[in-house]
Amino acid sequence: MARASYHHGRLRETLVAHGVLLLAQKGIEGLSLRTLARKAGVSPAAPYRHFKNAQALAEAIAAEGFTRLRSTMLATMADPLLAGRTPLERIGMGYLSFAQRHPDHFQLMFSGRVCPDPGQPESALHQAGQAAFQALTDTIVEAQRQGLVAADVSPAELAVVSWSFIHGFATLLLAGFLDPQELNPGLSQAELADACQKLIRRGWGQKSTPKPRRR
Amino acid sequence: MARASYHHGRLRETLVAHGVLLLAQKGIEGLSLRTLARKAGVSPAAPYRHFKNAQALAEAIAAEGFTRLRSTMLATMADPLLAGRTPLERIGMGYLSFAQRHPDHFQLMFSGRVCPDPGQPESALHQAGQAAFQALTDTIVEAQRQGLVAADVSPAELAVVSWSFIHGFATLLLAGFLDPQELNPGLSQAELADACQKLIRRGWGQKSTPKPRRR
DNA sequence: GAAATAATGTTGACAGTGAACACATTAAAT
DNA sequence: ATTTAATGTGTTCACTGTCAACATTATTTC
């Protein structure tokens, strides 16, 4: 931890890296600029040479979260154990997996502590978020090519819908609003996710165009 | 603000009420126990007689948020201006309306500052949240009765899916991830929401039973 | 290569915060 | 009426984000 030279050399990355760890250990409330400076072996004022304020540091940590979320989703896409799943199922599982393994990081990314006004759409946070979103859009295009998803709807719309659903599902799960057995018909999380996914694919509207009844 | 008697009398409610206001003015970061005590004209230690700590106060404010969210949804349900909309559209509009008019309150309710572990499912927060959720479930049952929603799916499942979607949509909207015109085909928020809603009702799966091609 | 300049880190201070303690005042119960 | 519980006060502590003045080093420029 202790360093020889007066300058740290890689303080910015070190702060973000320790931020990710501290977040996992102490949660969002436990994340403090001073603590991170201490862990980096640096004075409390040093971080201000790299970040305008504590929120900017939190934004950088959140941006790193989006990068990792994207990596997790891509890894899940390539996981041979999930070969039987459709691309959209796989990427959704990646999203959920990240949210559940790094709940505090996930919450920070969307907690409003970050990016309150979209005045700076060029921020690293926005870019990292859009990159993750792009992975989802790419997956949808691929699913359309494979004939797994309706091809007559714009990928962007489909991406908005699927991201909205999976994000809401993850958030409500983390917040504990989907746990009680009273409301769910005693399903495990995987079963519930699966049921929802099937329901979405099918649509929940009344079957207004009565298909030729199978029987 | 100043009071005559030594005891405040309704400190708890006063703190929560001022909390809602302060939240709207200063955002989540600006919400502090001491400031609320000051606004209530009371010493910094007084709130601790009513709340175990600052987080418990935040939870009470969040619970109040769920109560108001439920009220907003019910009001939207009854709004005569929206008579042409289906019940699910109306309640979704109520949800979005609350999220956009009280973004900080909405974020607090799901920000993880609140209810980290579901060890206390009896908390007021959980109860208020479940009451809001119940309004949604009721609406779905009603929509099923009206034949607007597939009746062969459990209302609980439909409620999970619709709550997940609308919550995710609201969150991404607030976080600014749905704004850039690059990704959306230049739609207004209302148009986007409408397109998503239609898409969900129809389902996004490949039309496995190909309708007679129009041309 | 030496000097000027920019980048980066330090020290010390300040106000604001959550929290705890002993104590004061009032309401409620006996 | 007296005891007891509930509620509010004053004070203190450790911690936090932030800043200004200063110190050290890296980088550029002559």
Side-chain angles (χ1 to χ4, degrees):
Chain A
M1 225 37 80
R3 66 190 195 282
S5 61
Y6 185 87
H7 285 126
H8 184 287
R10 283 178 3 213
L11 181 54
R12 193 193 161 95
E13 308 102 275
T14 304
L15 288 172
V16 172
H18 277 112
V20 174
L21 297 177
L22 184 58
L23 197 48
Q25 287 171 10
K26 306 285 182 183
I28 293 188
E29 298 299 307
L31 194 61
S32 96
L33 183 144
R34 286 181 100 107
T35 303
L36 290 182
R38 225 155 22 224
K39 296 224 177 201
V42 113
S43 86
Y48 286 90
R49 299 294 162 181
H50 299 269
F51 301 99
K52 180 181 151 234
N53 51 30
Q55 180 181 317
L57 173 51
E59 282 187 24
I61 296 170
E64 170 68 18
F66 277 109
T67 301
R68 295 189 183 199
L69 168 61
R70 179 169 175 274
S71 296
T72 300
M73 289 193 295
L74 294 182
T76 312
M77 291 295 294
D79 188 342
L81 289 176
L82 301 176
R85 303 285 190 157
T86 71
L88 267 177
E89 283 179 279
R90 288 205 293 270
I91 204 167
M93 291 170 80
Y95 201 95
L96 275 183
S97 165
F98 180 88
Q100 296 202 297
R101 282 197 297 198
H102 314 288
D104 294 288
H105 207 163
F106 182 77
Q107 268 158 353
L108 176 69
M109 289 155 62
F110 298 96
S111 74
R113 233 168 286 249
V114 138
C115 188
D117 53 347
Q120 289 300 94
E122 299 307 326
S123 69
L125 179 64
H126 246 88
Q127 289 191 313
Q130 294 297 347
F133 188 60
Q134 187 60 45
L136 179 56
T137 307
D138 292 346
T139 301
I140 285 176
V141 171
E142 175 60 25
Q144 285 182 323
R145 194 164 356 192
Q146 292 184 21
L148 294 168
V149 162
D152 58 343
V153 183
S154 88
E157 267 182 41
L158 284 164
V160 168
V161 171
S162 40
W163 194 16
S164 293
F165 167 71
I166 198 68
H167 181 75
F169 189 72
T171 305
L172 296 179
L173 217 49
L174 287 185
F177 286 113
L178 262 33
D179 284 346
Q181 259 64 18
E182 338 148 13
L183 286 174
N184 306 331
L187 296 177
S188 75
Q189 177 208 320
E191 290 168 328
L192 181 59
D194 219 55
C196 290
Q197 177 261 337
K198 281 184 183 129
L199 185 51
I200 289 182
R201 199 158 49 180
R202 171 198 137 170
W204 67 36
Q206 185 71 304
K207 304 189 207 66
S208 54
T209 52
K211 303 176 188 172
R213 303 297 288 276
R214 192 65 53 99
R215 35 154 285 127
Chain B
M1 221 41 78
R3 67 191 195 283
S5 61
Y6 185 88
H7 285 124
H8 184 289
R10 282 180 3 216
L11 182 53
R12 191 192 162 96
E13 307 101 273
T14 303
L15 288 172
V16 172
H18 277 112
V20 174
L21 298 177
L22 184 59
L23 197 48
Q25 287 171 9
K26 305 287 181 182
I28 293 189
E29 298 299 309
L31 194 63
S32 96
L33 182 144
R34 288 180 97 108
T35 303
L36 291 182
R38 223 153 24 222
K39 297 225 176 200
V42 113
S43 86
Y48 288 91
R49 299 293 163 181
H50 299 270
F51 302 99
K52 179 179 152 236
N53 50 30
Q55 179 181 318
L57 173 52
E59 281 187 26
I61 296 170
E64 170 68 18
F66 277 108
T67 302
R68 295 188 183 201
L69 168 61
R70 178 169 176 275
S71 297
T72 301
M73 290 192 296
L74 294 182
T76 313
M77 291 294 295
D79 188 342
L81 289 177
L82 301 176
R85 303 286 189 156
T86 70
L88 267 178
E89 282 180 280
R90 288 206 293 269
I91 203 167
M93 291 170 77
Y95 200 95
L96 276 183
S97 166
F98 179 88
Q100 296 202 297
R101 284 196 297 197
H102 313 287
D104 294 289
H105 207 162
F106 182 76
Q107 267 157 355
L108 177 69
M109 288 155 62
F110 298 96
S111 74
R113 235 168 286 247
V114 139
C115 188
D117 52 347
Q120 288 300 94
E122 299 307 325
S123 69
L125 178 64
H126 246 90
Q127 288 191 314
Q130 294 298 345
F133 188 61
Q134 187 61 45
L136 179 56
T137 306
D138 292 347
T139 301
I140 285 177
V141 171
E142 175 60 24
Q144 284 182 325
R145 195 164 355 191
Q146 291 184 22
L148 295 168
V149 162
D152 58 343
V153 184
S154 89
E157 267 181 41
L158 284 164
V160 168
V161 171
S162 41
W163 194 15
S164 292
F165 166 72
I166 198 68
H167 180 75
F169 189 73
T171 305
L172 296 179
L173 217 49
L174 288 185
F177 287 113
L178 262 33
D179 284 343
Q181 258 62 17
E182 337 149 14
L183 286 173
N184 307 332
L187 296 176
S188 75
Q189 179 208 316
E191 290 168 328
L192 182 59
D194 218 54
C196 289
Q197 176 262 335
K198 281 185 182 128
L199 186 51
I200 289 184
R201 199 158 47 180
R202 172 199 136 166
W204 66 36
Q206 183 70 304
K207 303 191 211 60
S208 54
T209 52
K211 299 178 188 172
R213 304 293 291 276
R214 189 66 53 99
R215 36 161 292 116

